[in-house]
Amino acid sequence: MARRQVGSTRRVGDGGSFPFAGALNSKSRSSPLLSICLVLVGACLLIGYAFSGPGIFKSVKEVSKVTGDYYSCTAEIQRAIPVLKKAYGDGMRKVLHVGPETCSVVSSLLKEEETEAWGVEPYDIEDADSHCKGLVSKGLVRVADIKFPLPYRAKSFSLVIVSDALDYLSPKYLNKTVPELARVASDGVVLFAGLPGQQRAKVAELSKFGRPAKMRSASWWNRFFVQTNLEENEAPSKKFEQAVSKGLYKPACQVFHLKPLH
């Protein structure tokens, strides 16, 4: 549409092809009143066309917003909670979430019946809202560097869910962090990881995360799990996939189900 608009503008400037150009010619046989009416009609049409533009501009803006912002697997967890409950059943009784914006996940989990929830925020929460700081003061959320051992005993939680955190770790730290997550779980670990090609942190937030995110493929993760002696948690994984196939939830991130360490 933009090209057509430019072309029509040039034709106006050329002075011969615009439909109402004859009305503007002083030597025209039309009466002055008719000329004025035609000019007014043409002006109204041009103004109407110009004001029809915001819809187009809005669409472009919306596309820019989608492609410019980073995708959050943490936000996706909140949509996946009903499916996770179908897959893990009683395994959702004591849940630990690890990742940025963990306060939002913990708040959602606490609304579920017979579910206790805690969170580990790997990054600074100075800008967190009062509700999040309230969860911290209650001991439900804590700030901890996940590159080091978690401050919990083995099998402290039935299920550990991690999102938007491992994508920022190098393999050097992943080798320690992922088994550590499996250590504190009794029923399993659910790992939400970004897809290759997804944008993660905004440039302005790189200082918060320390390094750009590394989007790894499923084959990379599977090789990593083999190298670190982590096994797929097949039973809940199948239930999860069955729920997904029924359209209850459509993952936009990679989801891996791991067995706890024995």
Side-chain angles (χ1 to χ4, degrees), residues 175-193:
N175 290 334
K176 300 177 181 178
T177 300
V178 180
E180 180 67 6
L181 296 171
R183 180 187 68 82
V184 300
S186 62
D187 290 357
V189 176
V190 184
L191 192 161
F192 285 76

Side-chain angles (χ1 to χ4, degrees), residues 141-158:
V141 171
R142 66 168 69 195
V143 179
D145 192 337
I146 61 174
K147 294 193 294 292
F148 300 96
L150 295 173
Y152 303 110
R153 296 180 180 179
K155 303 185 186 303
S156 294
F157 308 95
S158 55

Side-chain angles (χ1 to χ4, degrees), residues 171 174-175 178 196 214-232 254 256 258:
L174 283 175
N175 290 334
V178 180
K214 177 68 174 178
M215 299 299 138
R216 302 172 173 99
S217 65
S219 59
W220 188 96
W221 280 111
N222 288 326
R223 288 194 301 271
F224 171 79
F225 297 145
V226 172
Q227 293 169 1
T228 51
N229 297 318
L230 294 170
E231 301 177 8
E232 180 187 7
Q254 299 182 91
F256 301 96
L258 304 175

